[in-house]
Amino acid sequence: MSRMFMPEMPPYRDQENAGLLAAQTAGDNAPALSISEISQLLKRTVEDRFGFVRVRGELSGVKRAASGHLYLSLKDENARLDGVMWRGGAQRLGFMPEDGVEVIATGKLTTYPGRSNYQIVIERMEIAGEGALLALLAKTKARLEAEGLFARERKRPLPYLPRVIGVVTSPTGAVIRDILHRLRDRFPTHVVVWPVLVQGPGAAAQIAAAVRGFSALEPGGPVPRPDLLIVARGGGSIEDLWCFNDEDVVRAIAASTIPTISAVGHETDTTLADFAADVRAPTPTAAAEMAVPVRGELMAGLADLQARKQRATVRLLSLSRERLEQRARRLPAPQALLEGQAQRLDELGDRLRRALVHRTGLAATLLAQRSAGLRPAALTSRLQQARERLAAQRLRPAVVLQRIEAARTQVGALDRLRRSLDPEAPLARGYVLVKAVDGSLIRSRDAAAAEALLQLKFADGVLEVAPGTAPAQSRPAPKPRSPAPGDAQPKLL
């Protein structure tokens, strides 16, 4: 908080008679001011006195608001100064402000009555010397490297013979002329140039937009999509090449879907774009050499391969002919291969002829033997024998009656056995069946005592009694059930 020192004023002449209420005397040259009035006086005084200042300090508490304004503090070992940079100035910055970077800020001092403090409104901000610039570069590189943007496994191989090459560079510099000249000498290729600034304010934003724009192109569109991308610029100081160290440019190159060659500066110049690209070229001309092969050398190589192919084909045919001739010499003559088979064929033909004559003779003999037994007298005799056997097989009544009587005797025996095994047959002789209510047979006194109700089945009916009580009720015996159609029936044997 800054302090304001007022000039020493003469003592109030009526100080000895001061009371509780403030009084204003005519001609008083020190009237009471409001807070807003004194704040405005201070604001005009500070802005008039410090309307243009350059301040050197270390950035601290850098914060970019959603509106695009940049809020920060400048500090050294003894003091701290708040600062603000409006959106227009923040967009023109050539580097990304970070805590710990030493800068020189140009602007004006003003006050902020809302908090009774003062601050600097920054119009331009630059890095304070090459040492601070290198320190910022090292810090940014370490942070991006920790994110894996420079990892070796992310690098992609370049296409051997790209049909379209995209170039991000200035359209008026010597770089694009060198690249086009080198490509024309080596292998004429379709080149699409995306013109950008390569130095100064706004250059980083244009370069990043160009890289993203090439990646966004659709295959087969009005603008051909490149197979290879070259980001190029000529040599210069670290300040001239600083836009290629911008974080936005580095992230755009790392996220590119097209293999990228970084050709920024001379061989000794190194930028963060070189680490993010798939391949780093020492110069833009070297990038063109990496992009395409030499057409003459490629044609010579193809001719040599064609000649080797022809020689190999001729050599293969020659070796095959030699092997075929050598094997043909070892083969026997075709007649020699067929002589044995022809002899065997003659022998088999002769055997077949003799076999047919022999089989014909056997068949004639057998036919003569069989035809002798086919006389009419023999057939008549066999027919008479068959009739006699048939007459002997006719049915006689005595045989049928005998079988019926045997079956009747067997059925009677089975009926007597059934009556003897009937459990209710003894009931006619005075016996009684004792059953439980569920129909199960009671076989002992203890089992009868355990039942609440017993059924006594007599020959003429059923009586239900409780153990130790008088008879409860009686009901007639169930009528014998007629056999169902599915029951077993006695069969006649």
Side-chain angles (χ1 to χ4, degrees), residues 331-338:
L331 291 176
Q335 295 179 354
L337 293 174
L338 298 177

Side-chain angles (χ1 to χ4, degrees), residues 15 23 85 104 116 204 328 380 410 468 476:
Q15 189 171 3
M85 194 172 192
I104 295 178
S116 297
T380 303
Q410 187 176 5

Side-chain angles (χ1 to χ4, degrees), residues 56 94-96 101-104 125-137 242:
R56 181 176 184 141
F95 66 99
M96 183 70 68
V101 179
E102 189 175 5
V103 298
I104 295 178
M125 186 162 54
E126 304 162 323
I127 298 177
E130 187 172 343
L133 196 63
L134 293 175
L136 175 61
L137 178 62
W242 187 255

Side-chain angles (χ1 to χ4, degrees), residues 421-444:
L421 295 178
D422 186 4
E424 296 184 0
L427 297 181
R429 299 197 299 272
Y431 291 95
V432 177
L433 287 177
V434 182
K435 295 183 179 181
V437 178
D438 58 358
S440 60
L441 190 64
I442 303 298
R443 301 179 183 276
S444 65

Side-chain angles (χ1 to χ4, degrees), residues 210-460:
V211 174
R212 294 191 180 99
F214 273 127
S215 296
L217 291 177
E218 295 292 337
V223 178
R225 177 183 171 86
D227 302 316
L228 179 65
L229 193 61
I230 299 176
V231 180
R233 188 204 186 281
S237 64
I238 185 173
E239 184 179 0
D240 296 336
L241 304 179
W242 187 255
C243 59
F244 294 94
N245 293 318
D246 187 84
E247 183 176 344
D248 194 23
V249 173
V250 175
R251 292 187 181 277
I253 293 176
S256 174
T257 58
I258 303 174
T260 306
I261 299 177
S262 175
V264 179
H266 298 301
E267 187 170 359
T268 56
D269 298 324
T270 303
T271 63
L272 297 183
D274 298 334
F275 296 101
D278 297 298
V279 175
R280 175 187 179 269
T283 61
T285 303
E289 295 176 355
M290 293 179 180
V292 294
V294 179
R295 186 174 183 274
E297 295 178 356
L298 184 60
M299 296 295 293
L302 290 176
D304 180 62
L305 291 176
Q306 181 66 23
R308 291 176 59 187
K309 177 182 175 182
Q310 292 178 355
R311 290 195 301 270
T313 304
V314 172
R315 178 61 178 167
L316 179 61
L317 291 175
S318 177
L319 290 176
S320 301
R321 186 181 295 107
E322 291 177 2
R323 294 193 184 108
L324 180 60
E325 291 174 355
Q326 291 175 0
R327 292 175 180 176
R329 296 192 193 100
R330 299 176 184 176
L331 291 176
Q335 295 179 354
L337 293 174
L338 298 177
E339 287 176 354
Q341 302 299 326
Q343 185 178 358
R344 179 172 176 78
L345 179 61
D346 293 340
E347 293 177 356
L348 292 176
D350 185 56
R351 290 175 59 185
L352 177 61
R353 187 167 50 256
R354 292 196 303 271
L356 290 175
V357 173
H358 179 69
R359 291 294 298 273
T360 304
L362 291 177
T365 302
L366 182 61
L367 178 60
Q369 293 175 356
R370 298 291 175 86
S371 61
L374 296 177
R375 296 187 302 273
L379 295 177
T380 303
S381 174
R382 295 188 64 179
L383 179 61
Q384 184 61 31
Q385 293 175 1
R387 286 175 179 175
E388 292 175 356
R389 286 196 301 269
L390 178 61
Q393 295 297 329
R394 291 178 180 176
L395 296 177
R396 295 188 297 274
V399 176
V400 176
L401 293 176
Q402 183 180 0
R403 297 195 65 177
I404 292 174
E405 185 62 25
R408 183 182 292 112
T409 303
Q410 187 176 5
V411 170
L414 291 174
D415 183 62
R416 288 192 299 273
L417 178 62
R418 178 187 65 79
R419 288 195 301 271
S420 65
L421 295 178
D422 186 4
E424 296 184 0
L427 297 181
R429 299 197 299 272
Y431 291 95
V432 177
L433 287 177
V434 182
K435 295 183 179 181
V437 178
D438 58 358
S440 60
L441 190 64
I442 303 298
R443 301 179 183 276
S444 65
R445 178 180 178 279
D446 294 338
E451 296 291 333
L453 188 64
L454 299 175
Q455 291 181 351
L456 303 179
K457 186 173 183 180
F458 296 91
D460 56 350

